[in-house]
Amino acid sequence: MSPNVTNLNKDQKINMSGTTLLKESGPREVFCGLTSIVWLHRRMPDAFFLVVGSRTCAHLIQSAAGVMIFAEPRFGTAILEEKDLAGLADAHEELNRVVKDLLNRRPEIRTLFLVGSCPSEVIKLDLSRVAQQLTHAYKGRVQVLNYSGSGIETTFTQGEDGALSALVPLMPEENSNNQEQLLIVGTLANAVEDRLKTLFQRLGISNVASLPPRKSSELPSIGPKTKVLLAQPYLSNTARLLKDKGAEIVEAPFPLGVEGSELWMRAAGKAFNINESLLNKVLDPLIARGVKALEPYKEKLSGKKVFLLPESQLEIPLARFLHRECGMQLIEVGTPYLNREMMECELKLLPENTRVVEGQHVEKQLDRVKEENPDLVVCGMGLANPLEAENISTKWSIELVFSPIHGIDQASDLAELFARPLQRNELLDNKISSIN
Amino acid sequence: MELTLWTYEGPPHVGAMRIAASMEGIHYLLHAPQGDTYADLLFTMIERRGQRPPVTYTTFQARDLGGDTAELVKGHISEAVERFNPDALLVGESCTAELIQDQPGSLASGMGLNVPVISLELPAYSKKENWGAAETFYQLIRGLLQEKANDHSGHNPTAWKEQGRKPTVNLLGPSLLGFRCRDDILEIRKLLNENGIDVNVVAPLGATIADLKRIPKSDLNICLYPEVAESVCSWLERNFGMPFSKTVPIGVGATEDFIKEVRELLEMPQQKNESTDKSKLTWYSQSVDSNYLTGKRVFIFGDGTHAIAAARIAQKELGFEVVGLGTYSREMARPTRAAAEKLGLKALISNDYLEVESAIAEAAPELVLGTQMERHIAKRLGIPCAVISTPMHVQDVPARYSPQMGWEGANVIFDTWVHPLMMGLEEHLIGMFRHDFEFTDGHQSHLGHLGGQAHQEVVQPEKQSQDIDDLHDAEQSLPIWTSEGKEALAKIPFFVRGKVRRNTEKYARQAGCRNIDSETLYDAKAHFKA
């Protein structure tokens, strides 16, 4: 362990399942929960995400999206102005006016999410009340919901947890006509979702639904006949609410890599009492093919040192994949937030003494990066080029929430994402010595 | 409350970051929640900087709000000063911290730090990025130079004569995330050197605190980017008696005026006017090839400085007709309105890109000069476009030298504006020859296969004629095009087809024609020429 790690808070150092869990606090460099709107609005084209916040919020989302808007987007910001801060009653009225304008302009919208931000939380704007009133006013036409994506409460992917949590109360309760269903929770690329559904059908699980659905107004039912399989590791609140509704949460690692995806599908199979031989029959050829497809990347990645900075909460499952399936050496696995219960299966699969750090002191963490000189750093967009400028290869963590990486068939694509920077490094003859 | 789907400018603290990141030896302590750190990527990704901006964010969380956030701020300040050891510390807050009123500037001033502290108050709920940049630059200069103000009140811009040296000037305003600032500085430095003038300080881009302190030693200030530097230049004029030049040297005419103004302020003899030849724009525009540029309808939108400069070039140097002029920058509304009035137009002052889009659609220009957002708008409308202004996009930081200012800047502008139109012309020729037997079906010019903006900005010749039918479905009141009329319209070059269609329909409605055939088309043509 590098000397710098002794700066980490020892009191909170816990050994669990062989990993070393540490906590760090200080200045952070992570996106806030608003950022998840960037993929959520694409998943549900009949929904609109209206951030109630400041110009910073608007600027953040358009900057994080990294693209200019090609048409009228399905997200926007109701920017608070001085006069809105003066009186809350007026602010509520103003928000009603903005929503009315918006819905008149966009009659195709079925679900409107009012998304709380840092400033709206600090001035205690009651978005849930506004949402209720608006739902009543637009009865039958638009459902208005609210959640917080504020940076004082959420990081990055936690925004999706908030949005899905807001949908749970609207999910219809199961009735006697409902059959047992498998509910996949967490946004997946549409193509990946279709593929996974096909595979579950081969296993004999035909009743498969997704949250979020492709249409915000077509929510799956929920109740004791539902078994929930989490596709993303950052949905702890949503999982809790679904459990409260009577659903069973299937415990499994997350479907990243061949191994993770296999264990994930087997856990579902077990929950549905699918017999072992059918599971093997369906999965074994996929696994053999998946492992074979991984080989060229494994060759590139094996023995290389990787350092994961905290951002998406995908870090722990990714670290497990990079170590166990690609042979990478884990220097440090950062995560903005660690839910031990949700991560139990994953933590067990990490090698002894893996340094898992929850929270961040970005300066000290970057000191450790420089000390350890890893071959690859997984980090946020703001940090990547400064590391590249020191000839340290990087991978943007935001790419991992946009790319179709889940499932056995996608494992080699996932590995390729990490192998590409290293391969590029080998391809280029010249390296910079100093810039700026 | 303002509904915003996309914004031309960021919040004012991003403007402050632009000043801090432009300079050397400065650190900015920003009291802000996590998430606000996104702003780093503006510098490291869009501008491809290899260094993080020198900013420490306090990244406070909800649980901190119950406790002592002031102590948290002080902790971050001590740590940042110890770690980065800056020559000056800027202290400010983002929108959320403004609400909790910790007053980090006062906290820092009370800590007895061994470093100059400049406290920034940037009202996040009423101001925007460029204002924040200007205010930060102003507070920084004022904070560092205020004490010396009285010593220099007898500033003499002609002191260089008595001292037997070359005159010296400061270039004020260039910053990171500004449009082509890096190259403009090189170009203006060269231009001034040719005129026997030395550049003393360039700020904020690349300047140190020591450089800022040297500003009053120069004979004259050059206000290159009024959005960022005008308040500083005025303050230096009021307090140090330093005059400043107001002409922004974008375009041939403006560059000439700039040289004249600078020489006049320094009381240097005026040169014989031979400078028009120094840019190829003058000759290229005069050459016979450019005849087709005559009267091209152009719509201009951007920051105030670049939009106003573009209007002058378009009208006076390229022979275009300016059919729209506007800016997103409220601080520049007055000069933009004045410039528009001279052109017989009403300026569009708006931060709403949908409003800009409908103004462009209404004006039906043949070329759009705008920001990256207008590039997308133009693409949707099938109109050629060139980018002239921020907000910054990674494409606006080209690897090659491509200034906007000075003689070379005018060359760059000629190429950048005229090429999209030439591409349009080329597509027209393809349209003309498409029935020749040599022309295999599906063939496109090389432009058609480009992935970049060239491809996207070329109008699809077939598209607009098809639109006629769609249009009629939507608006029953419009006159109906006969098939013969449609055929005649299809023979008109696509780049004027939209305008002809619009004019003909307008004429038909006025004249009470229900059906439009080729005769109506010619009637309309004669009507509008008359």
Side-chain angles (χ1 to χ4, degrees):
Chain A
M1 200 176 281
S2 78
N4 202 306
V5 184
T6 51
N7 290 337
L8 293 169
N9 195 342
K10 276 263 181 63
D11 301 341
Q12 313 217 18
K13 184 172 156 179
I14 304 166
N15 278 298
M16 181 174 157
S17 317
T19 54
T20 310
L21 302 184
L22 300 147
K23 274 198 180 183
E24 190 170 47
S25 60
R28 292 175 151 221
E29 177 99 12
V30 285
F31 280 133
C32 65
L34 297 181
T35 321
S36 53
I37 291 171
V38 175
W39 64 87
L40 283 170
H41 87 280
R42 299 196 57 204
R43 170 69 186 183
M44 293 178 282
D46 62 343
F48 193 101
F49 292 80
L50 181 64
V51 177
V52 184
S54 65
R55 187 165 305 280
T56 316
C57 307
H59 200 234
L60 156 86
I61 301 173
Q62 78 191 39
S63 304
V67 287
M68 308 291 279
I69 289 152
F70 287 87
E72 230 183 294
R74 285 186 313 279
F75 57 82
T77 308
I79 295 184
L80 295 162
E81 294 168 303
E82 301 248 290
K83 62 180 191 298
D84 301 310
L85 303 175
L88 278 182
D90 298 337
H92 289 144
E93 217 165 90
E94 273 290 281
L95 185 54
N96 279 321
R97 178 186 63 78
V98 167
V99 168
K100 200 175 145 196
D101 288 353
L102 176 70
L103 292 176
N104 284 339
R105 197 183 166 85
R106 305 296 299 268
E108 77 283 11
I109 297 304
R110 290 290 157 268
T111 306
L112 174 67
F113 289 92
L114 300 178
V115 189
S117 65
C118 299
S120 80
E121 296 294 326
V122 168
I123 66 170
K124 300 201 184 326
L125 208 56
D126 190 352
L127 293 184
S128 67
R129 210 187 67 188
V130 179
Q132 272 173 18
Q133 287 167 351
L134 285 167
T135 297
H136 187 73
Y138 289 91
K139 212 170 176 68
R141 201 189 121 192
V142 186
Q143 181 72 46
V144 184
L145 300 170
N146 76 290
Y147 71 92
S148 172
S150 84
I152 56 175
E153 293 156 305
T154 63
T155 63
F156 200 25
T157 50
Q158 279 177 302
E160 176 168 345
D161 196 16
L164 299 192
S165 297
L167 285 171
V168 172
L170 300 181
M171 293 167 77
E173 298 226 352
E174 284 167 359
N175 57 41
S176 52
N177 296 330
N178 284 110
Q179 294 170 346
E180 250 194 345
Q181 77 168 346
L182 175 65
L183 181 63
I184 301 175
V185 179
T187 299
L188 291 170
N190 287 352
V192 169
E193 183 198 21
D194 290 340
R195 175 69 181 159
L196 291 173
K197 281 186 175 171
T198 308
L199 295 181
F200 280 122
Q201 263 159 17
R202 282 191 208 163
L203 292 178
I205 307 172
S206 54
N207 200 11
V208 185
S210 299
L211 182 71
R214 291 185 196 188
K215 273 190 174 176
S216 66
S217 50
E218 292 175 5
L219 288 168
S221 61
I222 188 69
K225 291 176 192 164
T226 300
K227 297 184 197 310
V228 169
L229 195 55
L230 295 170
Q232 301 283 11
Y234 44 74
L235 300 168
S236 45
N237 196 50
T238 308
R240 188 177 55 76
L241 294 175
L242 292 170
K243 201 172 166 187
D244 290 348
K245 291 266 184 185
E248 178 195 334
I249 310 292
V250 178
E251 282 185 22
F254 295 92
L256 297 167
V258 173
E259 183 190 31
S261 306
E262 181 202 347
L263 293 171
W264 186 75
M265 296 199 73
R266 281 189 187 275
K270 202 175 156 201
F272 280 80
N273 295 318
I274 308 297
N275 71 52
E276 195 73 18
S277 64
L278 178 60
L279 277 168
N280 293 343
K281 194 181 137 207
V282 172
L283 295 178
D284 285 353
L286 297 179
I287 293 162
R289 193 175 63 189
V291 170
K292 190 164 173 240
L294 270 178
E295 269 165 21
Y297 305 115
K298 189 175 177 177
E299 209 168 290
K300 281 251 166 350
L301 295 170
S302 186
K304 296 278 170 33
K305 296 189 284 185
V306 61
F307 197 121
L308 296 102
L309 266 58
E311 185 147 77
S312 65
Q313 290 193 54
L314 288 165
E315 293 84 7
I316 292 172
L318 287 173
R320 180 258 304 153
F321 165 69
L322 292 173
H323 175 72
R324 292 173 64 96
E325 296 182 58
C326 303
M328 291 189 92
Q329 195 186 331
L330 305 175
I331 302 299
E332 179 168 319
V333 183
T335 180
Y337 170 74
L338 178 63
N339 183 317
R340 295 209 172 83
E341 202 185 329
M342 295 249 312
M343 281 298 160
E344 204 184 335
C345 296
E346 290 285 352
L347 289 169
K348 276 183 196 159
L349 294 171
L350 288 180
E352 286 283 306
N353 296 323
T354 304
R355 196 200 304 160
V356 176
V357 180
E358 180 185 8
Q360 189 176 35
H361 186 302
V362 66
E363 306 296 346
K364 289 180 184 171
Q365 197 166 35
L366 288 173
D367 287 346
R368 295 201 293 276
V369 167
K370 282 162 204 174
E371 255 170 65
E372 307 266 13
N373 197 28
D375 298 291
L376 185 67
V377 176
V378 181
C379 63
M381 293 202 281
L383 297 174
N385 266 340
L387 289 169
E388 294 281 354
E390 298 194 32
N391 290 315
I392 297 172
S393 293
T394 60
K395 170 58 37 193
W396 289 332
S397 44
I398 198 167
E399 225 180 314
L400 301 159
V401 294
F402 286 128
S403 310
I405 56 170
H406 296 77
I408 299 173
D409 303 304
Q410 273 63 242
S412 64
D413 296 344
L414 179 57
E416 198 271 341
L417 286 178
F418 295 97
R420 198 183 308 166
L422 300 181
Q423 194 200 352
R424 184 162 183 78
N425 212 15
E426 284 169 23
L427 282 171
L428 302 180
D429 259 359
N430 304 311
K431 294 285 149 57
I432 53 113
S433 47
S434 74
I435 57 165
N436 294 330
Chain B
M1 219 172 272
E2 178 199 349
L3 175 62
T4 301
L5 302 173
W6 186 86
T7 170
Y8 285 93
E9 286 183 79
H13 72 261
V14 167
M17 283 182 68
R18 280 170 55 187
I19 303 301
S22 293
M23 291 185 57
E24 280 164 36
I26 288 221
H27 200 80
Y28 182 21
L29 191 291
L30 184 62
H31 194 20
Q34 73 180 359
D36 286 11
T37 52
Y38 81 89
D40 281 7
L41 74 85
L42 303 171
F43 300 88
T44 64
M45 276 184 59
I46 296 178
E47 197 128 17
R48 290 188 225 247
R49 299 276 291 172
Q51 295 156 347
R52 291 161 62 209
V55 181
T56 295
Y57 303 83
T58 59
T59 58
F60 61 88
Q61 295 177 35
R63 61 167 180 264
D64 299 319
L65 293 177
D68 193 348
T69 43
E71 280 307 311
L72 179 102
V73 174
K74 280 156 85 175
H76 281 286
I77 292 173
S78 317
E79 210 183 319
V81 169
E82 193 186 329
R83 179 177 275 268
F84 299 103
N85 192 23
D87 300 327
L89 183 70
L90 296 172
V91 182
E93 49 202 0
S94 76
C95 49
T96 309
E98 188 181 323
L99 298 170
I100 54 178
Q101 299 181 331
D102 281 325
Q103 298 183 315
S106 313
L107 291 176
S109 306
M111 284 172 71
L113 299 168
N114 197 18
V115 53
V117 172
I118 287 106
S119 171
L120 299 173
E121 282 183 26
L122 310 174
Y125 298 93
S126 56
K127 300 292 187 185
K128 291 189 282 227
E129 179 182 331
N130 280 334
W131 185 89
E135 175 70 8
T136 303
F137 191 34
Y138 163 71
Q139 292 294 349
L140 190 56
I141 298 277
R142 208 180 74 126
L144 292 170
L145 297 178
Q146 194 163 27
E147 284 173 13
K148 297 187 190 165
N150 295 330
D151 311 345
H152 287 75
S153 49
H155 184 90
N156 174 13
T158 61
W160 59 277
K161 290 186 183 175
E162 292 139 37
Q163 292 166 9
R165 56 170 174 84
K166 282 185 183 177
T168 60
V169 299
N170 304 315
L171 303 185
L172 301 183
S175 70
L176 291 182
L177 298 182
F179 200 71
R180 308 287 168 86
C181 293
R182 177 197 71 190
D183 298 344
D184 284 347
I185 296 171
L186 292 175
E187 191 61 22
I188 294 306
R189 198 186 272 274
K190 197 172 134 201
L191 184 71
L192 292 167
N193 286 344
E194 282 170 3
N195 279 273
I197 299 165
D198 278 345
V199 173
N200 182 23
V201 176
V202 178
L205 194 55
T208 61
I209 293 299
D211 290 335
L212 296 189
K213 289 181 178 165
R214 290 193 293 119
I215 283 179
K217 295 208 170 106
S218 306
D219 299 309
L220 178 72
N221 286 323
I222 306 255
C223 182
L224 271 191
Y225 303 92
E227 273 91 345
V228 173
E230 194 164 23
S231 45
V232 163
C233 289
S234 307
W235 185 81
L236 288 167
E237 186 172 53
R238 284 198 310 278
N239 291 275
F240 286 78
M242 289 183 84
F244 68 97
S245 70
K246 294 169 185 75
T247 313
V248 178
I250 301 179
V252 175
T255 301
E256 281 169 21
D257 290 353
F258 169 76
I259 296 170
K260 269 187 213 143
E261 187 190 9
V262 169
R263 294 187 79 99
E264 195 175 297
L265 289 167
L266 291 166
E267 293 186 17
M268 297 171 84
Q270 291 296 344
Q271 282 184 316
K272 203 175 69 181
N273 194 355
E274 53 184 355
S275 46
T276 41
D277 296 345
K278 292 203 169 160
S279 170
K280 291 188 187 74
L281 181 143
T282 306
W283 166 240
Y284 275 32
S285 187
Q286 187 186 334
S287 76
V288 69
D289 301 57
S290 294
N291 258 311
Y292 81 99
L293 299 176
T294 314
K296 286 272 178 206
R297 297 161 55 80
V298 53
F299 190 102
I300 301 168
F301 192 86
D303 68 12
T305 299
H306 289 89
I308 293 169
R312 175 173 175 181
I313 299 168
Q315 190 196 23
K316 303 281 188 191
E317 295 172 23
L318 295 171
F320 291 158
E321 184 195 353
V322 180
V323 295
L325 176 62
T327 180
Y328 55 81
S329 141
R330 297 231 172 255
E331 289 81 18
M332 293 294 282
R334 199 139 53 116
T336 310
R337 282 201 186 100
E341 225 162 86
K342 272 195 208 157
L343 295 160
L345 299 167
K346 191 172 177 295
L348 173 63
I349 313 294
S350 175
N351 190 39
D352 178 357
Y353 77 94
L354 294 172
E355 195 181 342
V356 178
E357 177 164 30
S358 53
I360 293 175
E362 175 67 30
E366 292 154 280
L367 176 68
V368 173
L369 302 173
T371 73
Q372 291 287 340
M373 181 46 85
E374 283 67 47
R375 184 165 73 83
H376 285 288
I377 290 170
K379 201 187 295 173
R380 281 199 289 277
L381 297 171
I383 305 168
C385 175
V387 175
I388 59 160
S389 154
T390 53
M392 199 75 131
H393 183 279
V394 71
Q395 285 184 0
D396 300 324
V397 197
R400 68 177 183 279
Y401 181 60
S402 44
Q404 297 289 289
M405 292 183 174
W407 309 130
E408 184 60 21
N411 294 339
V412 169
I413 284 171
F414 183 89
D415 290 347
T416 316
W417 297 9
V418 168
H419 286 179
L421 290 170
M422 281 171 42
M423 290 162 189
L425 198 70
E426 211 167 298
E427 286 297 312
H428 164 58
L429 294 176
I430 288 165
M432 268 172 64
F433 292 113
R434 72 161 17 141
H435 300 297
D436 291 11
F437 67 89
E438 293 94 340
F439 204 98
T440 48
D441 200 28
H443 175 92
Q444 284 180 306
S445 74
H446 62 286
L447 295 165
H449 298 294
L450 274 182
Q453 67 189 79
H455 166 66
Q456 288 149 337
E457 279 161 10
V458 165
V459 180
Q460 298 303 312
E462 296 305 324
K463 193 152 183 294
Q464 290 188 344
S465 49
Q466 285 168 2
D467 285 349
I468 293 170
D469 298 322
D470 304 342
L471 207 70
H472 281 294
D473 290 339
E475 286 179 67
Q476 290 299 325
S477 64
L478 280 181
I480 295 158
W481 287 80
T482 64
S483 55
E484 190 251 352
K486 279 187 208 170
E487 257 171 52
L489 183 67
K491 284 175 195 157
I492 290 167
F494 75 92
F495 48 86
V496 287
R497 199 179 297 145
K499 188 172 141 193
V500 169
R501 192 191 74 202
R502 223 177 277 266
N503 280 347
T504 309
E505 286 170 359
K506 193 173 159 193
Y507 169 79
R509 273 198 305 275
Q510 282 170 5
C513 301
R514 296 268 320 133
N515 296 316
I516 299 177
D517 56 17
S518 59
E519 286 309 311
T520 329
L521 219 127
Y522 284 111
D523 286 346
K525 187 179 170 194
H527 174 81
F528 284 104
K529 289 279 178 199

